[in-house]
Amino acid sequence: MPNRARRTLQDVADAAGLSLAATSYALRGARGSAATIERVQALALELGYRVDPIARALASGRTGTVGISGSLRDLWQQDLSVMLTRALRAVDRDATIADADADPAVERRVVERFAEQRVDGVLVSPVDPSADYWSALPPPTAVVSIGDALPGRPGSGAVLFDNRHGVTTALRHLRDLGHRRVALLTTSLPTTPGRPAELHAVEAAQLLGLDLLVVPATAARAAAAADGPLTAPDRPTAVLCLSDSLAFGVYRAAADLGLRIPGDLSVVGFDDHQLAALVAPGLTTAAWDEDAVVEAAVAQLLALEGGGEVPAPVTFRPDLVVRSSTGPPAGAH
């Protein structure tokens, strides 16, 4: 019968005729000639050797695990989490994904759990970037925020979005079509002050001469949140949503109320999720280069893991993709 006992690093070292240290380096591709690394890794595969994660953590002080956190009811953040997981796998890191559910209280528990698990790093799309709980992640943890910087967690990397450009471009597009009263659907809560996208939208609306109605919403209840302003006597003729998930909720609310898009209501999203081009009518939305965002976030994480200087923030600017969900308001000439 085949020997089913768990193979050890010593077994691989004996088969390769190397020391334990040289074998460990070769398995990780960290040291040794290309031929030695290839031979040792082939022997490990042949013997059925698998790295014991507990032993690795005890020996190195590292777990090889990175926490990923976002609000996963949002479709774009779901996709981003999958892309980050794949990118981490390519650099031999495991991912632990946690849903913050657009709730600072839940996000606090996620952060505390990551700290307890002693993850090597965290990639996060924060609900409340200004919260004090980010300091719960100890300094050795490599932290990179995506979307907003973490002022309460010095030493963190940051992949930022030029939301000012995004919302200004979207609102200018609506203004140029003839819209003057616009609703803004945002996931910001009273407990998450200072969210740049919402603040930038308010400032841009004032400069463009738009009457902006700010409507808090969640991805799960976007249709219900939109129902109020869309049934008001002075209802807005356009809605800017700070995520495509919110925009899809507005589509549902408009359908329930018998409002035609864009004939009765123009809708703009934010993210360019893959469904944006598939819904009818196609959703006008701000598009990010997700591949570049993921590459920058993982590069910053690895740089921080290596103990080097904190990388400079990387900022991405969105492009407005105009589709069929926007047009002149009813009665405009």
Side-chain angles (χ1 to χ4, degrees):
M1 295 179 65
N3 182 7
R4 298 185 180 276
R6 183 184 182 94
R7 294 294 189 175
T8 66
L9 182 63
Q10 186 66 61
D11 294 328
V12 182
D14 290 343
L18 298 171
S19 68
L20 282 173
T23 304
S24 176
Y25 284 130
L27 283 172
R28 290 182 282 126
R31 191 178 301 175
S33 69
T36 297
I37 291 172
E38 182 178 358
R39 182 169 66 88
V40 171
Q41 291 179 349
L43 282 170
L45 183 63
E46 180 182 339
L47 293 171
Y49 171 72
R50 296 291 184 272
V51 176
D52 184 340
I54 297 176
R56 178 174 65 179
L58 289 172
S60 67
R62 307 193 72 83
T63 64
T65 301
V66 175
I68 297 175
S69 178
S71 296
L72 300 184
R73 291 179 187 262
D74 182 88
L75 297 173
W76 189 80
Q77 291 201 31
Q78 287 181 21
D79 284 358
L80 182 67
S81 296
V82 171
M83 293 175 70
L84 289 169
T85 299
R86 291 173 178 168
L88 289 169
R89 188 183 305 133
V91 292
D92 195 29
R93 302 293 191 281
D94 296 320
T96 297
I97 300 177
D99 179 22
D101 201 24
D103 185 336
V106 175
E107 185 170 67
R108 177 185 292 274
R109 291 196 293 274
V110 168
V111 171
E112 292 172 348
R113 182 61 57 87
F114 282 160
E116 292 170 358
Q117 294 172 339
R118 298 183 180 180
V119 296
D120 294 338
V122 173
L123 296 170
V124 58
S125 297
V127 176
D128 186 357
S130 60
D132 60 358
Y133 47 73
W134 295 109
S135 61
L137 295 168
T141 309
V143 179
V144 178
S145 60
I146 301 173
D148 297 303
L150 304 177
R153 207 314 185 142
S156 299
V159 176
L160 306 178
F161 298 154
D162 189 346
N163 288 315
R164 182 188 299 275
H165 173 80
V167 298
T168 300
T169 302
L171 289 172
R172 183 179 293 114
H173 170 67
L174 293 172
R175 191 276 309 271
D176 291 347
L177 288 170
H179 297 278
R180 293 297 178 266
R181 182 164 173 77
V182 178
L184 175 74
L185 257 65
T186 171
T187 55
S188 293
L189 306 171
T191 51
T192 58
R195 290 306 297 259
E198 179 182 336
L199 295 179
H200 294 330
V202 172
E203 294 170 358
Q206 292 174 345
L207 292 173
L208 293 169
L210 297 175
D211 181 9
L212 190 71
L213 173 65
V214 178
V215 181
T218 64
R221 294 188 55 79
D227 188 71
L230 293 184
T231 55
D234 58 344
R235 70 171 181 82
T237 60
V239 182
L240 169 59
C241 304
L242 293 186
S243 78
D244 286 356
S245 292
L246 295 177
F248 298 147
V250 174
Y251 271 50
R252 173 59 186 270
D256 290 345
L257 295 170
L259 298 174
R260 296 170 299 122
I261 299 174
D264 300 314
L265 182 72
S266 286
V267 182
V268 180
F270 220 77
D271 295 333
D272 198 26
H273 183 267
Q274 57 187 328
L275 293 178
L278 302 179
V279 294
L283 177 64
T284 295
T285 185
W288 308 99
D289 186 343
E290 291 102 332
D291 290 330
V293 167
V294 168
E295 181 180 353
V298 173
Q300 289 208 2
L301 181 84
L302 296 179
L304 289 169
E305 280 188 354
E309 294 184 3
V310 177
V314 179
T315 301
F316 289 88
R317 172 171 285 191
D319 295 317
L320 186 67
V321 179
V322 179
R323 299 192 178 97
S324 303
S325 68
T326 51
H333 299 287

